[in-house]
Amino acid sequence: MSGAANEGKALEVVIDGASYARIPIRTRVVMPGDDLDAVIDEYAKPVVAAGDILFVTEKIVAITQGRSYTLDEIQVRPLARFLSKYVTRTPYGIGLGMPETMEMALRECGTPRILFAAAVSAVTKVIGRRGDFYRIAGDKARAIDGPTSGTIPPYNKAVVLGPTDPSGVAARTKARLGGVAEVAVVDINDIGGNILGSTLDRAGEQRLVRILRDNPLGQGHQSTPLGVIREV
């Protein structure tokens, strides 16, 4: 566990007049073949208290589900190379702006859907509207993570897909914690976030997105794929 905020982040945030601690939980690097339940038992159980919310990054869920692929495993088609050239890259993540991530989006979402999303996005960008590509391509495309300069090895040379059944993962993890805390599988970065699955109601999910809006776990070398929200 880390008792301090990650670099550049605040340990507490005030939402609607209430103060919440965002406690990052530092772990070893989670690898393919690791068991998520064992990770939760080792690192989260000693920290979580009654009334907390445990948030789990979608990336470690996906990794433990065997949904990470090294770059040299991915056979990239010409279509993926072509489409990736037109994706805007940002400092917050490469998204589908590399052939390997675009190839995995074609496989995950289907070629027709990605082509339709690309066509609509090309038209709406001309009139100054952005975000249509991912609205059409959907959560599976949005959840694909490619390597960045700050990514921990070996994931600096890997593509990680979104997790399967995140709501089920959240429910099973809550049960594993004895039901004392709510659980959410989250996809959070420096430009926003989504709750992929949780044991919270809709209002609770919306509040959690606001609590995590500034991405308190960071994006790269921090090795804090778990965190606790605790009202203070």
Side-chain angles (χ1 to χ4, degrees):
M1 171 181 172
S2 172
N6 282 330
E7 182 180 356
K9 308 295 179 178
L11 188 62
E12 291 188 18
V13 65
V14 178
I15 301 293
D16 296 332
S19 294
Y20 298 91
R22 294 96 56 86
I23 305 167
I25 300 176
R26 195 172 303 280
T27 72
R28 58 179 172 77
V29 177
V30 176
M31 299 293 289
D34 281 342
D35 179 65
L36 181 62
D37 288 346
V39 174
I40 296 298
D41 288 349
E42 182 176 356
Y43 296 103
K45 271 190 175 180
V47 179
V48 171
D52 287 348
I53 301 172
L54 173 70
F55 60 105
V56 184
T57 59
E58 43 87 26
K59 192 166 187 174
I60 69 157
V61 177
I63 288 168
T64 58
Q65 291 175 339
R67 290 175 60 78
S68 66
Y69 300 84
T70 59
L71 297 180
D72 58 10
E73 289 181 288
I74 302 170
Q75 297 298 313
V76 177
R77 290 169 285 179
L79 178 60
R81 295 188 189 279
F82 173 77
L83 292 174
S84 67
K85 294 177 182 178
Y86 297 94
V87 176
T88 302
R89 300 188 184 195
T90 76
Y92 309 112
I94 198 166
L96 304 184
M98 64 183 294
E100 290 84 359
T101 52
M102 182 61 76
E103 173 63 33
M104 298 310 290
L106 290 167
R107 298 184 195 180
E108 280 283 281
C109 306
T111 297
R113 186 166 190 164
I114 294 297
L115 287 175
F116 181 60
V120 172
S121 177
V123 172
T124 55
K125 278 182 180 178
V126 173
I127 61 174
R129 195 170 81 182
R130 298 188 176 276
D132 284 317
F133 178 89
Y134 285 108
R135 276 192 287 272
I136 295 169
D139 289 340
K140 285 185 177 181
R142 188 181 291 110
I144 295 172
D145 278 341
T148 65
S149 59
T151 304
I152 295 174
Y155 304 108
N156 59 338
K157 296 182 180 179
V159 174
V160 182
L161 306 181
T164 59
D165 190 23
S167 294
V169 170
R172 289 191 296 273
T173 302
K174 178 178 178 177
R176 194 163 193 87
L177 294 172
V180 301
E182 304 298 336
V183 177
V185 177
V186 303
D187 178 12
I188 304 292
N189 58 44
D190 286 338
I191 57 174
N194 296 289
I195 309 301
L196 302 185
S198 83
T199 59
L200 298 161
D201 60 18
R202 181 62 177 165
E205 289 189 347
Q206 291 174 340
R207 183 170 56 253
L208 181 59
V209 168
R210 296 174 65 198
I211 292 170
L212 299 177
R213 182 170 290 165
D214 63 338
N215 190 21
L217 294 189
Q219 281 300 104
H221 63 278
Q222 291 87 353
S223 194
T224 50
L226 308 169
V228 164
I229 303 298
R230 183 174 295 160
E231 191 168 355
V232 294

